[in-house]
Amino acid sequence: MMYEKFTNGPLNEFFPWADTSGDIINASDGGVIYVDGVYYWYGQALRPLPVARDGKGGQTTTVGVVMYKSADLYNWDYCGVILPVSDNPTCEQYAPMRYERPKIVYNDKAKKFVLWCHYVKYPGDHGDTKGTAEAGIAVCDNVDGTYQWLGTTRPIDEKGLVRDSTLYKDHDGTAYFIYDKQVGDDRCLHIVKLSEDYLSCTDDYRRIDVCFWREAAAIVFYNGWYFMFTSGLTSWDTNPALYYRARSLMGGWEAMGDPCIGDVTGTTFESQSTFIFPVEGNKGQFILMCERHNTQNFERCSYIWLPINFPAPGEMKVEYLESWCIEDYWK
Ligand code: DGJ
């Protein structure tokens, strides 16, 4: 079967998408990267934990980060696991674990694909044990190869736990790790400039004060403005989105309100933000990836992909569409 549109489905339903083999796509909280005429969609493949150690947030694990590819964004071929978990108990990747919110950027100088994620050593243990709230890094020569795990790190300082995170590669080639840094009750998004090879953090960082108790950041640059779409902190549950804007990534960010048009339930259209990517070759066309977490069955989450609008300079809006295609929306 060939697909010709994105089907997000009704707001109150889970509407899983199928790959070209007819299997349900399971690529949670990842992103899309365009390489040589092909879009690659990656995310962690969620699975239920055989035995949950706690009641909250620990009910799911992953088999690793998986990848799909597509020329048209509607029909996705499964490429396999690009960053697997391990059955070796001495290894950081020992399952059950999670590579939360994996993001991949290409380093043009080193000619390597670099992946950063929020490393969860044991689902449900979100930082109580040393080594459980870190950033994880992996690298590969090919976008769809098997990524080599380089280990974990804690940016900025050792006391700042790493929570939800994303990566952003700016037009000058500099890359940034953006994450929810937690010290006690102080949870705030921070942005850290990465080293030239993207494999470590530099000392150059900013605390984004207006992004207090926010996560699920997705960044886009358009017409002189950086926009950052975010969610609140309610674990897998939904909450209203807020967006921010800035003239420079390390500059002053300004709160702009909820960008979701008609989101009367205050739920980001019953979903949570994941990533924003451009439609290649079409200026000003960006797709917001969100996810409707299915906490009863994480293998059947809904992927909610929506067109972004910029109604005026420095403003961003998103409307919910049950189904749509790029060709008709941006005629
Ligand atoms: C909050 C995140 O935003 C969710 O996507 C998910 O990663 C949960 N944490 C897991 O506890």
Side-chain angles (χ1 to χ4, degrees), residues 237-258:
D237 297 336
T238 56
N239 57 62
L242 286 179
Y243 83 105
Y244 303 84
R245 71 176 185 190
R247 285 292 197 182
S248 94
L249 284 164
M250 296 294 233
W253 287 86
E254 187 185 349
M256 295 296 292
D258 189 338

Side-chain angles (χ1 to χ4, degrees), residues 74 121 159 180 200 243:
Y74 308 117
K121 186 186 176 79
K159 61 180 192 305
D180 168 23
S200 59
Y243 83 105

Side-chain angles (χ1 to χ4, degrees), residues 218 229 273-276 286-290 304-308 318:
F229 195 107
S273 45
T274 295
F275 194 64
I276 296 171
F286 297 92
I287 295 178
L288 170 70
M289 297 169 72
C290 292
I304 310 296
W305 288 18
L306 298 169
I308 294 185
V318 182

Side-chain angles (χ1 to χ4, degrees), residues 29 57 98 100-101 126 164 215-216 235-236 272 293:
D29 287 340
R98 288 205 295 260
E100 286 201 355
R101 298 196 170 262
H126 275 34
D164 220 290
E215 66 174 12
S235 186
W236 303 103
Q272 188 184 26
H293 304 300

Side-chain angles (χ1 to χ4, degrees), residues 250-291:
M250 296 294 233
W253 287 86
E254 187 185 349
M256 295 296 292
D258 189 338
C260 298
I261 301 169
D263 182 32
V264 285
T265 52
T267 58
T268 315
F269 306 126
E270 301 290 344
S271 71
Q272 188 184 26
S273 45
T274 295
F275 194 64
I276 296 171
F277 67 91
V279 177
E280 279 306 315
N282 298 355
K283 192 173 177 313
Q285 299 182 3
F286 297 92
I287 295 178
L288 170 70
M289 297 169 72
C290 292
E291 191 166 320

Side-chain angles (χ1 to χ4, degrees), residues 105-114 116 137-139 150 173 175 194-202:
V105 288
Y106 182 63
N107 189 300
D108 302 82
K109 282 192 194 141
K111 301 199 178 342
K112 302 233 182 248
F113 293 88
V114 181
W116 283 66
I137 309 149
V139 69
L150 299 181
L194 297 185
S195 56
E196 271 202 11
D197 59 9
Y198 302 170
L199 300 181
S200 59
C201 293
T202 68

